[in-house]
Amino acid sequence: MAENWSSTDPGVIRFPSGVLVRGRGLRHPLPPGPRPSLTVHLLGKRPPPAAWESRWVRWPDFRLPKDRRQAREAFAEALARAAHERVEIACGGGIGRTGTALACMAVLDGVPAERAVEFVRRHYHRRAVETPWQRRFVRRFADA
């Protein structure tokens, strides 16, 4: 079993439960330090092979997941595994889709849906969750 991230690692967000998850943009170099145990790729096309376990949620840029149930399952698995493993959530730029997924994970972790975008913008990236429909997706995530 892998050790967890440090809250000082680049792109790492700490959820209210204390769970740490790294957000990342795949167009940027892999950050230095430990590698993840699991990456959830949020991409419109199949991700490149990874040297560690990965999941693919089909999610075109600036849009929403193609299969919302699959996305919810991937977020729940990632959050559960992040309690004991290094988990990262990654899209192309690491802001819109990644921020949206992290906000949904914050809802799963107990953050009220109407405050989840603000939470992720404060603790991960100030421009996370880029589009109005991504913000609406997060607000409605608790009801899905």
Side-chain angles (χ1 to χ4, degrees):
M1 188 170 300
E3 291 182 25
N4 244 327
W5 302 113
S6 163
S7 59
T8 60
D9 289 333
V12 171
I13 181 172
R14 180 183 298 276
F15 289 106
S17 66
V19 167
L20 301 171
V21 174
R22 181 170 78 184
R24 179 164 81 94
L26 296 169
R27 291 191 294 263
H28 309 292
L30 186 66
R35 292 183 176 218
S37 305
L38 171 68
T39 297
V40 177
H41 290 103
L42 312 169
L43 299 169
K45 61 182 182 175
R46 186 168 301 282
W52 51 86
E53 188 178 355
S54 67
R55 301 274 183 279
W56 175 35
V57 174
R58 191 165 174 226
W59 191 336
D61 203 7
F62 295 105
R63 309 265 185 201
L64 296 175
K66 291 294 185 181
D67 183 335
R68 294 174 189 205
R69 185 172 359 141
Q70 178 211 22
R72 183 182 198 82
E73 290 169 1
F75 303 159
E77 176 189 2
L79 188 63
R81 289 182 61 177
H84 304 286
E85 300 177 55
R86 291 185 302 268
V87 172
E88 74 174 3
I89 307 296
C91 67
I95 299 171
R97 292 168 287 182
T98 296
T100 303
L102 291 172
C104 290
M105 291 172 69
V107 171
L108 292 173
D109 199 56
V111 175
E114 64 276 2
R115 297 186 58 211
V117 171
E118 172 194 342
F119 176 85
V120 171
R121 286 180 173 170
R122 188 178 36 206
H123 297 287
Y124 172 67
H125 193 286
R126 65 182 173 82
R127 290 187 356 249
V129 192
E130 295 176 304
T131 68
W133 42 91
Q134 289 172 341
R135 289 189 295 276
R136 187 171 48 246
F137 180 74
V138 173
R139 281 193 313 272
R140 295 178 177 170
F141 187 76
D143 301 327

